[in-house]
Amino acid sequence: MRKIKIHKPDDWHLHLRDGDLLKLVLPHTVKDFGRALIMPNLVPPVITTSDAESYRREIMDALDKDIDFQPFMTLYLTEDTDPRDVEDGIAKGVVKAVKLYPAGATTNSSSGVRDFSKINETLAILSTNNVPLCVHGEVVDGHVDIFDRETEFIQRVLIPIHKDFPELKIVLEHITTQDAIDFVLNTPDNIAATITVHHLVINRNHLFKSGIRPHYFCLPIAKREVHRQSLVKAATSGNANFFLGTDSAPHTIGTKESACGCAGIFTAPVAMAILAHVFENEDALDKLEGFTSLSGAEFYGVAPNQSFLTLRKEKAPIKFPASIAENELEVSIFDPEFDLNWKVID
Ligand code: DOR
Ligand code: ZN
């Protein structure tokens, strides 16, 4: 197959940042994606419905007027979140999901949750309203090996939450392990997972190939090759409980190439080209549309996008730039280290 036409994809996990960085990265998502679930870990975070309304306005103002793109907003859950405000945000149609960051788990997560018993009232509201809880699934204890943090979180936090709120829709975000896949496979359909582009193509060796590679550092950290292979199988299986959330997370080059480099990989410009490559390799191009454009929409209760995206396989590799830049800001684009021949043509 040299050409494939699919409903326009949605990105169910995206970091757009704010200010000048937002303006720099936004065009790279809206060219291929009709909608995206926008992560709330700004500084300061998007905690209230009013914060989400202002952030949504900033995104809409940064968009070219002729672009058809819809940001879906999330709230950053804290121990002090007012459940009434969450309820209002849902009723107003502002809040599409609530994001749970364990405090200290990742970028700008210090206002996240330490004591999970403090969020029960909000979880009850989400459950009643059929609104998903999106979860960064890693424990933060220093004594737990960084490669085991997802598995430990599932056992220690996620299974108890699911037991207490069996009807609650949960999205285990950016999964990286066989354990996370098994959790989704062994729970009802109100439990789903997003899979990123980068976790489909890198394993933990990429982080240390001939030196330390900060541009492959993200959280959850990439795991062993067997886990990567399992993620590819899950993504290309056609199981609707696995869908795309790129976790495209731009940081400036200076903040990544540092003694304490930030976690996050910017994949938006190459996401669809890489996915077509991965799905073609698995002989599963017929499953690409489900993964990128149908399953997530169904989980979040929205119709697929009305518009379409066409990708074509070119004879010569597509040349993507190594970075994008504007004034002082420069962000590296994820390099999968293999040729990309699939091009979005329409
Ligand atoms: O690698 C990551 N980057 N993982 C996250 O959970 C957050 C993200 C970011 O905001 O940079
Ligand atoms: Zn993220």
PDB file of all heavy atoms in Angstrom, residues 122-157:
ATOM      1  N   THR A 122     -13.280  13.973  44.393  1.00  0.00           N
ATOM      2  CA  THR A 122     -13.185  14.324  42.967  1.00  0.00           C
ATOM      3  C   THR A 122     -13.336  13.076  42.100  1.00  0.00           C
ATOM      4  O   THR A 122     -14.015  13.113  41.059  1.00  0.00           O
ATOM      5  CB  THR A 122     -11.835  15.026  42.677  1.00  0.00           C
ATOM      6  OG1 THR A 122     -11.761  16.199  43.473  1.00  0.00           O
ATOM      7  CG2 THR A 122     -11.709  15.398  41.210  1.00  0.00           C
ATOM      8  N   LEU A 123     -12.738  11.974  42.518  1.00  0.00           N
ATOM      9  CA  LEU A 123     -12.866  10.739  41.725  1.00  0.00           C
ATOM     10  C   LEU A 123     -14.333  10.305  41.635  1.00  0.00           C
ATOM     11  O   LEU A 123     -14.794   9.849  40.575  1.00  0.00           O
ATOM     12  CB  LEU A 123     -12.015   9.614  42.324  1.00  0.00           C
ATOM     13  CG  LEU A 123     -10.502   9.854  42.370  1.00  0.00           C
ATOM     14  CD1 LEU A 123      -9.767   8.581  42.771  1.00  0.00           C
ATOM     15  CD2 LEU A 123      -9.959  10.385  41.039  1.00  0.00           C
ATOM     16  N   ALA A 124     -15.078  10.491  42.720  1.00  0.00           N
ATOM     17  CA  ALA A 124     -16.506  10.127  42.706  1.00  0.00           C
ATOM     18  C   ALA A 124     -17.251  10.988  41.684  1.00  0.00           C
ATOM     19  O   ALA A 124     -18.117  10.484  40.936  1.00  0.00           O
ATOM     20  CB  ALA A 124     -17.103  10.296  44.100  1.00  0.00           C
ATOM     21  N   ILE A 125     -16.890  12.264  41.621  1.00  0.00           N
ATOM     22  CA  ILE A 125     -17.549  13.166  40.655  1.00  0.00           C
ATOM     23  C   ILE A 125     -17.209  12.764  39.221  1.00  0.00           C
ATOM     24  O   ILE A 125     -18.073  12.729  38.346  1.00  0.00           O
ATOM     25  CB  ILE A 125     -17.157  14.632  40.950  1.00  0.00           C
ATOM     26  CG1 ILE A 125     -17.965  15.097  42.155  1.00  0.00           C
ATOM     27  CG2 ILE A 125     -17.401  15.535  39.752  1.00  0.00           C
ATOM     28  CD1 ILE A 125     -17.490  16.378  42.769  1.00  0.00           C
ATOM     29  N   LEU A 126     -15.961  12.426  38.994  1.00  0.00           N
ATOM     30  CA  LEU A 126     -15.564  11.988  37.644  1.00  0.00           C
ATOM     31  C   LEU A 126     -16.337  10.733  37.265  1.00  0.00           C
ATOM     32  O   LEU A 126     -16.861  10.613  36.149  1.00  0.00           O
ATOM     33  CB  LEU A 126     -14.059  11.704  37.584  1.00  0.00           C
ATOM     34  CG  LEU A 126     -13.124  12.896  37.799  1.00  0.00           C
ATOM     35  CD1 LEU A 126     -11.668  12.457  37.696  1.00  0.00           C
ATOM     36  CD2 LEU A 126     -13.407  14.004  36.797  1.00  0.00           C
ATOM     37  N   SER A 127     -16.423   9.813  38.190  1.00  0.00           N
ATOM     38  CA  SER A 127     -17.090   8.547  37.921  1.00  0.00           C
ATOM     39  C   SER A 127     -18.560   8.776  37.582  1.00  0.00           C
ATOM     40  O   SER A 127     -19.067   8.267  36.573  1.00  0.00           O
ATOM     41  CB  SER A 127     -16.937   7.641  39.147  1.00  0.00           C
ATOM     42  OG  SER A 127     -17.487   6.392  38.882  1.00  0.00           O
ATOM     43  N   THR A 128     -19.222   9.595  38.380  1.00  0.00           N
ATOM     44  CA  THR A 128     -20.645   9.874  38.148  1.00  0.00           C
ATOM     45  C   THR A 128     -20.857  10.541  36.791  1.00  0.00           C
ATOM     46  O   THR A 128     -21.842  10.288  36.115  1.00  0.00           O
ATOM     47  CB  THR A 128     -21.176  10.840  39.246  1.00  0.00           C
ATOM     48  OG1 THR A 128     -20.830  10.282  40.492  1.00  0.00           O
ATOM     49  CG2 THR A 128     -22.664  11.052  39.140  1.00  0.00           C
ATOM     50  N   ASN A 129     -19.925  11.409  36.421  1.00  0.00           N
ATOM     51  CA  ASN A 129     -20.090  12.177  35.180  1.00  0.00           C
ATOM     52  C   ASN A 129     -19.455  11.508  33.963  1.00  0.00           C
ATOM     53  O   ASN A 129     -19.439  12.075  32.878  1.00  0.00           O
ATOM     54  CB  ASN A 129     -19.509  13.576  35.350  1.00  0.00           C
ATOM     55  CG  ASN A 129     -20.372  14.439  36.246  1.00  0.00           C
ATOM     56  OD1 ASN A 129     -21.353  15.009  35.788  1.00  0.00           O
ATOM     57  ND2 ASN A 129     -20.043  14.500  37.516  1.00  0.00           N
ATOM     58  N   ASN A 130     -18.885  10.303  34.186  1.00  0.00           N
ATOM     59  CA  ASN A 130     -18.277   9.569  33.066  1.00  0.00           C
ATOM     60  C   ASN A 130     -17.106  10.313  32.432  1.00  0.00           C
ATOM     61  O   ASN A 130     -16.880  10.229  31.227  1.00  0.00           O
ATOM     62  CB  ASN A 130     -19.365   9.303  32.011  1.00  0.00           C
ATOM     63  CG  ASN A 130     -19.179   7.954  31.362  1.00  0.00           C
ATOM     64  OD1 ASN A 130     -18.523   7.069  31.933  1.00  0.00           O
ATOM     65  ND2 ASN A 130     -19.705   7.793  30.160  1.00  0.00           N
ATOM     66  N   VAL A 131     -16.395  11.076  33.249  1.00  0.00           N
ATOM     67  CA  VAL A 131     -15.241  11.848  32.765  1.00  0.00           C
ATOM     68  C   VAL A 131     -13.955  11.119  33.171  1.00  0.00           C
ATOM     69  O   VAL A 131     -13.793  10.748  34.335  1.00  0.00           O
ATOM     70  CB  VAL A 131     -15.258  13.279  33.340  1.00  0.00           C
ATOM     71  CG1 VAL A 131     -13.952  14.010  33.085  1.00  0.00           C
ATOM     72  CG2 VAL A 131     -16.429  14.054  32.748  1.00  0.00           C
ATOM     73  N   PRO A 132     -13.036  10.903  32.225  1.00  0.00           N
ATOM     74  CA  PRO A 132     -11.837  10.118  32.532  1.00  0.00           C
ATOM     75  C   PRO A 132     -10.847  10.792  33.484  1.00  0.00           C
ATOM     76  O   PRO A 132     -10.665  12.010  33.468  1.00  0.00           O
ATOM     77  CB  PRO A 132     -11.177   9.921  31.163  1.00  0.00           C
ATOM     78  CG  PRO A 132     -12.253  10.141  30.167  1.00  0.00           C
ATOM     79  CD  PRO A 132     -13.172  11.168  30.778  1.00  0.00           C
ATOM     80  N   LEU A 133     -10.231   9.941  34.284  1.00  0.00           N
ATOM     81  CA  LEU A 133      -9.059  10.322  35.063  1.00  0.00           C
ATOM     82  C   LEU A 133      -7.847   9.861  34.256  1.00  0.00           C
ATOM     83  O   LEU A 133      -7.708   8.673  33.957  1.00  0.00           O
ATOM     84  CB  LEU A 133      -9.068   9.604  36.419  1.00  0.00           C
ATOM     85  CG  LEU A 133      -7.838   9.861  37.299  1.00  0.00           C
ATOM     86  CD1 LEU A 133      -7.891  11.269  37.901  1.00  0.00           C
ATOM     87  CD2 LEU A 133      -7.741   8.819  38.424  1.00  0.00           C
ATOM     88  N   CYS A 134      -6.994  10.804  33.879  1.00  0.00           N
ATOM     89  CA  CYS A 134      -5.767  10.457  33.159  1.00  0.00           C
ATOM     90  C   CYS A 134      -4.640  10.359  34.178  1.00  0.00           C
ATOM     91  O   CYS A 134      -4.469  11.257  34.999  1.00  0.00           O
ATOM     92  CB  CYS A 134      -5.415  11.540  32.148  1.00  0.00           C
ATOM     93  SG  CYS A 134      -6.639  11.719  30.866  1.00  0.00           S
ATOM     94  N   VAL A 135      -3.872   9.296  34.096  1.00  0.00           N
ATOM     95  CA  VAL A 135      -2.936   9.008  35.175  1.00  0.00           C
ATOM     96  C   VAL A 135      -1.498   8.924  34.676  1.00  0.00           C
ATOM     97  O   VAL A 135      -1.202   8.172  33.735  1.00  0.00           O
ATOM     98  CB  VAL A 135      -3.323   7.664  35.838  1.00  0.00           C
ATOM     99  CG1 VAL A 135      -2.344   7.319  36.946  1.00  0.00           C
ATOM    100  CG2 VAL A 135      -4.736   7.724  36.394  1.00  0.00           C
ATOM    101  N   HIS A 136      -0.630   9.704  35.319  1.00  0.00           N
ATOM    102  CA  HIS A 136       0.813   9.466  35.153  1.00  0.00           C
ATOM    103  C   HIS A 136       1.159   8.348  36.132  1.00  0.00           C
ATOM    104  O   HIS A 136       1.247   8.574  37.332  1.00  0.00           O
ATOM    105  CB  HIS A 136       1.636  10.723  35.452  1.00  0.00           C
ATOM    106  CG  HIS A 136       3.095  10.499  35.201  1.00  0.00           C
ATOM    107  ND1 HIS A 136       3.782  11.079  34.160  1.00  0.00           N
ATOM    108  CD2 HIS A 136       3.984   9.710  35.839  1.00  0.00           C
ATOM    109  CE1 HIS A 136       5.040  10.661  34.171  1.00  0.00           C
ATOM    110  NE2 HIS A 136       5.190   9.820  35.187  1.00  0.00           N
ATOM    111  N   GLY A 137       1.358   7.157  35.608  1.00  0.00           N
ATOM    112  CA  GLY A 137       1.420   5.968  36.456  1.00  0.00           C
ATOM    113  C   GLY A 137       2.818   5.590  36.890  1.00  0.00           C
ATOM    114  O   GLY A 137       3.352   4.572  36.452  1.00  0.00           O
ATOM    115  N   GLU A 138       3.394   6.363  37.785  1.00  0.00           N
ATOM    116  CA  GLU A 138       4.697   6.002  38.351  1.00  0.00           C
ATOM    117  C   GLU A 138       4.728   6.358  39.826  1.00  0.00           C
ATOM    118  O   GLU A 138       4.314   7.462  40.197  1.00  0.00           O
ATOM    119  CB  GLU A 138       5.830   6.764  37.659  1.00  0.00           C
ATOM    120  CG  GLU A 138       6.095   6.330  36.230  1.00  0.00           C
ATOM    121  CD  GLU A 138       7.392   6.927  35.714  1.00  0.00           C
ATOM    122  OE1 GLU A 138       7.402   8.149  35.453  1.00  0.00           O
ATOM    123  OE2 GLU A 138       8.383   6.201  35.596  1.00  0.00           O
ATOM    124  N   VAL A 139       5.249   5.430  40.657  1.00  0.00           N
ATOM    125  CA  VAL A 139       5.502   5.811  42.045  1.00  0.00           C
ATOM    126  C   VAL A 139       6.757   6.685  42.073  1.00  0.00           C
ATOM    127  O   VAL A 139       7.546   6.673  41.125  1.00  0.00           O
ATOM    128  CB  VAL A 139       5.696   4.580  42.967  1.00  0.00           C
ATOM    129  CG1 VAL A 139       4.418   3.772  43.059  1.00  0.00           C
ATOM    130  CG2 VAL A 139       6.863   3.719  42.517  1.00  0.00           C
ATOM    131  N   VAL A 140       6.912   7.415  43.152  1.00  0.00           N
ATOM    132  CA  VAL A 140       8.007   8.393  43.178  1.00  0.00           C
ATOM    133  C   VAL A 140       9.081   8.055  44.211  1.00  0.00           C
ATOM    134  O   VAL A 140      10.094   8.749  44.287  1.00  0.00           O
ATOM    135  CB  VAL A 140       7.469   9.821  43.470  1.00  0.00           C
ATOM    136  CG1 VAL A 140       6.579  10.291  42.341  1.00  0.00           C
ATOM    137  CG2 VAL A 140       6.697   9.860  44.781  1.00  0.00           C
ATOM    138  N   ASP A 141       8.856   6.991  44.978  1.00  0.00           N
ATOM    139  CA  ASP A 141       9.807   6.657  46.048  1.00  0.00           C
ATOM    140  C   ASP A 141      11.209   6.451  45.486  1.00  0.00           C
ATOM    141  O   ASP A 141      11.386   5.656  44.562  1.00  0.00           O
ATOM    142  CB  ASP A 141       9.410   5.356  46.744  1.00  0.00           C
ATOM    143  CG  ASP A 141       7.922   5.249  46.972  1.00  0.00           C
ATOM    144  OD1 ASP A 141       7.158   5.602  46.029  1.00  0.00           O
ATOM    145  OD2 ASP A 141       7.530   4.834  48.039  1.00  0.00           O
ATOM    146  N   GLY A 142      12.166   7.139  46.107  1.00  0.00           N
ATOM    147  CA  GLY A 142      13.546   7.048  45.649  1.00  0.00           C
ATOM    148  C   GLY A 142      14.093   5.631  45.670  1.00  0.00           C
ATOM    149  O   GLY A 142      14.961   5.280  44.864  1.00  0.00           O
ATOM    150  N   HIS A 143      13.562   4.793  46.557  1.00  0.00           N
ATOM    151  CA  HIS A 143      14.132   3.442  46.670  1.00  0.00           C
ATOM    152  C   HIS A 143      13.606   2.502  45.588  1.00  0.00           C
ATOM    153  O   HIS A 143      14.135   1.411  45.411  1.00  0.00           O
ATOM    154  CB  HIS A 143      13.873   2.854  48.065  1.00  0.00           C
ATOM    155  CG  HIS A 143      12.440   2.498  48.307  1.00  0.00           C
ATOM    156  ND1 HIS A 143      11.530   3.405  48.809  1.00  0.00           N
ATOM    157  CD2 HIS A 143      11.754   1.354  48.080  1.00  0.00           C
ATOM    158  CE1 HIS A 143      10.350   2.818  48.900  1.00  0.00           C
ATOM    159  NE2 HIS A 143      10.453   1.582  48.459  1.00  0.00           N
ATOM    160  N   VAL A 144      12.571   2.922  44.864  1.00  0.00           N
ATOM    161  CA  VAL A 144      12.059   2.050  43.787  1.00  0.00           C
ATOM    162  C   VAL A 144      12.858   2.345  42.518  1.00  0.00           C
ATOM    163  O   VAL A 144      12.966   3.505  42.105  1.00  0.00           O
ATOM    164  CB  VAL A 144      10.551   2.276  43.540  1.00  0.00           C
ATOM    165  CG1 VAL A 144      10.055   1.408  42.386  1.00  0.00           C
ATOM    166  CG2 VAL A 144       9.753   1.989  44.801  1.00  0.00           C
ATOM    167  N   ASP A 145      13.395   1.322  41.931  1.00  0.00           N
ATOM    168  CA  ASP A 145      14.179   1.475  40.710  1.00  0.00           C
ATOM    169  C   ASP A 145      13.356   2.202  39.640  1.00  0.00           C
ATOM    170  O   ASP A 145      12.171   1.913  39.463  1.00  0.00           O
ATOM    171  CB  ASP A 145      14.565   0.075  40.214  1.00  0.00           C
ATOM    172  CG  ASP A 145      15.605   0.133  39.119  1.00  0.00           C
ATOM    173  OD1 ASP A 145      15.230   0.413  37.950  1.00  0.00           O
ATOM    174  OD2 ASP A 145      16.785  -0.084  39.412  1.00  0.00           O
ATOM    175  N   ILE A 146      13.987   3.134  38.935  1.00  0.00           N
ATOM    176  CA  ILE A 146      13.254   3.959  37.958  1.00  0.00           C
ATOM    177  C   ILE A 146      12.564   3.091  36.889  1.00  0.00           C
ATOM    178  O   ILE A 146      11.505   3.445  36.378  1.00  0.00           O
ATOM    179  CB  ILE A 146      14.174   5.031  37.326  1.00  0.00           C
ATOM    180  CG1 ILE A 146      13.353   6.005  36.483  1.00  0.00           C
ATOM    181  CG2 ILE A 146      15.302   4.404  36.530  1.00  0.00           C
ATOM    182  CD1 ILE A 146      14.110   7.255  36.044  1.00  0.00           C
ATOM    183  N   PHE A 147      13.150   1.923  36.598  1.00  0.00           N
ATOM    184  CA  PHE A 147      12.551   1.062  35.575  1.00  0.00           C
ATOM    185  C   PHE A 147      11.362   0.247  36.106  1.00  0.00           C
ATOM    186  O   PHE A 147      10.667  -0.399  35.341  1.00  0.00           O
ATOM    187  CB  PHE A 147      13.621   0.131  34.977  1.00  0.00           C
ATOM    188  CG  PHE A 147      14.687   0.898  34.237  1.00  0.00           C
ATOM    189  CD1 PHE A 147      15.902   1.179  34.839  1.00  0.00           C
ATOM    190  CD2 PHE A 147      14.461   1.372  32.951  1.00  0.00           C
ATOM    191  CE1 PHE A 147      16.881   1.908  34.166  1.00  0.00           C
ATOM    192  CE2 PHE A 147      15.424   2.103  32.272  1.00  0.00           C
ATOM    193  CZ  PHE A 147      16.637   2.375  32.884  1.00  0.00           C
ATOM    194  N   ASP A 148      11.154   0.281  37.424  1.00  0.00           N
ATOM    195  CA  ASP A 148      10.044  -0.488  38.032  1.00  0.00           C
ATOM    196  C   ASP A 148       8.893   0.402  38.493  1.00  0.00           C
ATOM    197  O   ASP A 148       7.921  -0.081  39.067  1.00  0.00           O
ATOM    198  CB  ASP A 148      10.555  -1.261  39.263  1.00  0.00           C
ATOM    199  CG  ASP A 148      11.603  -2.292  38.890  1.00  0.00           C
ATOM    200  OD1 ASP A 148      11.576  -2.769  37.740  1.00  0.00           O
ATOM    201  OD2 ASP A 148      12.470  -2.592  39.737  1.00  0.00           O
ATOM    202  N   ARG A 149       9.008   1.690  38.268  1.00  0.00           N
ATOM    203  CA  ARG A 149       8.052   2.610  38.894  1.00  0.00           C
ATOM    204  C   ARG A 149       6.631   2.479  38.345  1.00  0.00           C
ATOM    205  O   ARG A 149       5.670   2.705  39.071  1.00  0.00           O
ATOM    206  CB  ARG A 149       8.552   4.053  38.767  1.00  0.00           C
ATOM    207  CG  ARG A 149       9.720   4.266  39.702  1.00  0.00           C
ATOM    208  CD  ARG A 149      10.312   5.640  39.672  1.00  0.00           C
ATOM    209  NE  ARG A 149      11.507   5.625  40.510  1.00  0.00           N
ATOM    210  CZ  ARG A 149      12.333   6.625  40.649  1.00  0.00           C
ATOM    211  NH1 ARG A 149      12.129   7.753  39.994  1.00  0.00           N
ATOM    212  NH2 ARG A 149      13.386   6.514  41.431  1.00  0.00           N
ATOM    213  N   GLU A 150       6.512   2.144  37.072  1.00  0.00           N
ATOM    214  CA  GLU A 150       5.171   1.980  36.494  1.00  0.00           C
ATOM    215  C   GLU A 150       4.498   0.723  37.063  1.00  0.00           C
ATOM    216  O   GLU A 150       3.338   0.765  37.494  1.00  0.00           O
ATOM    217  CB  GLU A 150       5.275   1.891  34.968  1.00  0.00           C
ATOM    218  CG  GLU A 150       3.947   1.784  34.251  1.00  0.00           C
ATOM    219  CD  GLU A 150       4.118   1.873  32.737  1.00  0.00           C
ATOM    220  OE1 GLU A 150       4.202   2.992  32.200  1.00  0.00           O
ATOM    221  OE2 GLU A 150       4.183   0.801  32.085  1.00  0.00           O
ATOM    222  N   THR A 151       5.232  -0.362  37.074  1.00  0.00           N
ATOM    223  CA  THR A 151       4.705  -1.635  37.567  1.00  0.00           C
ATOM    224  C   THR A 151       4.268  -1.511  39.024  1.00  0.00           C
ATOM    225  O   THR A 151       3.193  -1.980  39.414  1.00  0.00           O
ATOM    226  CB  THR A 151       5.800  -2.712  37.424  1.00  0.00           C
ATOM    227  OG1 THR A 151       6.154  -2.760  36.050  1.00  0.00           O
ATOM    228  CG2 THR A 151       5.318  -4.066  37.877  1.00  0.00           C
ATOM    229  N   GLU A 152       5.096  -0.850  39.803  1.00  0.00           N
ATOM    230  CA  GLU A 152       4.792  -0.660  41.222  1.00  0.00           C
ATOM    231  C   GLU A 152       3.547   0.216  41.410  1.00  0.00           C
ATOM    232  O   GLU A 152       2.715  -0.030  42.266  1.00  0.00           O
ATOM    233  CB  GLU A 152       6.012   0.003  41.875  1.00  0.00           C
ATOM    234  CG  GLU A 152       5.925   0.133  43.344  1.00  0.00           C
ATOM    235  CD  GLU A 152       6.631  -0.999  44.110  1.00  0.00           C
ATOM    236  OE1 GLU A 152       7.331  -1.817  43.477  1.00  0.00           O
ATOM    237  OE2 GLU A 152       6.461  -1.037  45.332  1.00  0.00           O
ATOM    238  N   PHE A 153       3.421   1.234  40.561  1.00  0.00           N
ATOM    239  CA  PHE A 153       2.260   2.137  40.655  1.00  0.00           C
ATOM    240  C   PHE A 153       0.963   1.377  40.381  1.00  0.00           C
ATOM    241  O   PHE A 153      -0.051   1.589  41.055  1.00  0.00           O
ATOM    242  CB  PHE A 153       2.417   3.288  39.652  1.00  0.00           C
ATOM    243  CG  PHE A 153       1.302   4.292  39.718  1.00  0.00           C
ATOM    244  CD1 PHE A 153       1.393   5.399  40.562  1.00  0.00           C
ATOM    245  CD2 PHE A 153       0.149   4.139  38.962  1.00  0.00           C
ATOM    246  CE1 PHE A 153       0.347   6.329  40.637  1.00  0.00           C
ATOM    247  CE2 PHE A 153      -0.886   5.062  39.036  1.00  0.00           C
ATOM    248  CZ  PHE A 153      -0.784   6.158  39.867  1.00  0.00           C
ATOM    249  N   ILE A 154       1.002   0.511  39.402  1.00  0.00           N
ATOM    250  CA  ILE A 154      -0.212  -0.249  39.055  1.00  0.00           C
ATOM    251  C   ILE A 154      -0.673  -1.060  40.270  1.00  0.00           C
ATOM    252  O   ILE A 154      -1.844  -1.040  40.637  1.00  0.00           O
ATOM    253  CB  ILE A 154       0.053  -1.163  37.834  1.00  0.00           C
ATOM    254  CG1 ILE A 154       0.288  -0.296  36.595  1.00  0.00           C
ATOM    255  CG2 ILE A 154      -1.113  -2.132  37.606  1.00  0.00           C
ATOM    256  CD1 ILE A 154       0.850  -1.058  35.401  1.00  0.00           C
ATOM    257  N   GLN A 155       0.277  -1.730  40.898  1.00  0.00           N
ATOM    258  CA  GLN A 155      -0.069  -2.560  42.053  1.00  0.00           C
ATOM    259  C   GLN A 155      -0.521  -1.721  43.239  1.00  0.00           C
ATOM    260  O   GLN A 155      -1.532  -2.017  43.867  1.00  0.00           O
ATOM    261  CB  GLN A 155       1.160  -3.399  42.487  1.00  0.00           C
ATOM    262  CG  GLN A 155       1.581  -4.448  41.472  1.00  0.00           C
ATOM    263  CD  GLN A 155       0.443  -5.395  41.104  1.00  0.00           C
ATOM    264  OE1 GLN A 155      -0.337  -5.802  41.954  1.00  0.00           O
ATOM    265  NE2 GLN A 155       0.331  -5.722  39.825  1.00  0.00           N
ATOM    266  N   ARG A 156       0.247  -0.675  43.518  1.00  0.00           N
ATOM    267  CA  ARG A 156       0.074   0.033  44.779  1.00  0.00           C
ATOM    268  C   ARG A 156      -1.013   1.109  44.740  1.00  0.00           C
ATOM    269  O   ARG A 156      -1.664   1.385  45.725  1.00  0.00           O
ATOM    270  CB  ARG A 156       1.407   0.683  45.153  1.00  0.00           C
ATOM    271  CG  ARG A 156       1.786   0.348  46.586  1.00  0.00           C
ATOM    272  CD  ARG A 156       2.760   1.315  47.143  1.00  0.00           C
ATOM    273  NE  ARG A 156       4.096   1.165  46.611  1.00  0.00           N
ATOM    274  CZ  ARG A 156       5.001   2.131  46.723  1.00  0.00           C
ATOM    275  NH1 ARG A 156       4.701   3.278  47.285  1.00  0.00           N
ATOM    276  NH2 ARG A 156       6.215   1.943  46.249  1.00  0.00           N
ATOM    277  N   VAL A 157      -1.206   1.727  43.568  1.00  0.00           N
ATOM    278  CA  VAL A 157      -2.147   2.861  43.500  1.00  0.00           C
ATOM    279  C   VAL A 157      -3.317   2.587  42.555  1.00  0.00           C
ATOM    280  O   VAL A 157      -4.478   2.800  42.897  1.00  0.00           O
ATOM    281  CB  VAL A 157      -1.412   4.158  43.058  1.00  0.00           C
ATOM    282  CG1 VAL A 157      -2.363   5.342  43.088  1.00  0.00           C
ATOM    283  CG2 VAL A 157      -0.195   4.417  43.932  1.00  0.00           C
TER     284      VAL A 157
END
